[in-house]
Amino acid sequence: MLMKTYQVDENGYYGEFGGAYIPEILHRCVEELRNSYLQVLESEEFRKEFMSMLRDYVGRPSPLYLAERLSEKYRCKIYLKREDLNHTGAHKINNAIGQILLAKRMGKKRIIAETGAGQHGVATATVCALMGMECVIYMGKTDIERQHMNVERMKMLGAEVKPVTSGNMTLKDATNEAIRDWCCHSADTYYVIGSTVGPHPYPDMVARLQSVISKEIQNQLAEHEGRSYPDYLIACVGGGSNAAGTIYHYLDDERVKIVLAEAGGKGIESLMSAATIQLGRLGIIHGARTLVMQNEDGQILEPYSISAGLDYPGIGPMHANLARQHRATVFAINDDEAVKAAFELTRLEGIIPALESAHALGVLGKLAFHPEDVVVLTVSGRGDKDLETYLNY
Ligand SMILES: *Cc1c(COP(=O)(O)O)cnc(C)c1O
């Protein structure tokens, strides 16, 4: 039977995107992960522990909030999925808990991760403190200087933050160092990837761990609206994990329109952009075949966005395929549009969103809604970390 699906296939591909393009030395680690993740994630015992931590530690379910004044402005019914209210202030904690629970079950003692803006590093360090695991975070030296607060947080949580001084000293370079560490210590070390990127099975695993978001949306919409699906789902995309979580249970439900917001930066013609879906070409990054921002020679271009969490030069293979198949509509939201949307939400609803989430809000003005449309927009994180940027803009 040929059923069209947007989920991963058994080889780790979403259409032509995905797979595992890794050095020989990592083959065994990735294979080990691939052989254990589904069995563990689907086991009763894991599910029980994961769900109870999401409830009692993270504070889930996160509210689905009907934003009345925002709805009035855009002439439709807008619900906000409040991931900003999670412990540590964003959706990333869902994934960190899930992967570290998995690492424990695989007998690993040491956790490593890379971080750009520091949000994934903080989530990972948080869960390591909670579970008493050794934690090493790789971070580019440039990012360490830009994201001082998050570095201090990770240190206070007991993580070792290792500065990376190769290349541009940003996320891509930190990732290379983390992979190098994993190669050297694969017997006792687990590598936590923070988004739906990297070699298979990471994109699928992270999407499954974040899918608690769409599961909750189904239940909450059924309660509020008497039907479990919306007309629109809107989320921002860096690597794609909050978006994947938001759409997971609706991927194959064509009644639901999927709208993704990537970071346009100063505009997609400006060369200062992170709009990978619009600007990227097929390539390999971080172990996956996907759209990559690159020059003629295949050199990866340094992306730019006002939002540190969205300036990744690749994109999750799931999302590349959704765009290629026209299952998702993708908008590039520029810095100024995102900042404007953040102020609008703040003044209409008293919610200061993360700069990343503000890109999702920036989409609202670009769609033509019917008054009866039900829209669910994920506020992936809170804006406390971005206050200075907002006020200086
Ligand atoms: C990291 C981050 C993002 C981008 O990552 P995704 O994997 O695309 O979700 C978005 N919003 C917030 C608040 C983040 O911290």
Side-chain angles (χ1 to χ4, degrees), residues 90-92 119 194-196 236-243 309-310 354 356-357 380-381 385:
H91 64 292
K92 287 200 173 72
Q119 296 298 109
S195 189
T196 42
C236 66
V237 214
S241 69
N242 87 88
L310 297 183
E356 293 85 358
S357 323
S380 53
K385 66 185 177 60

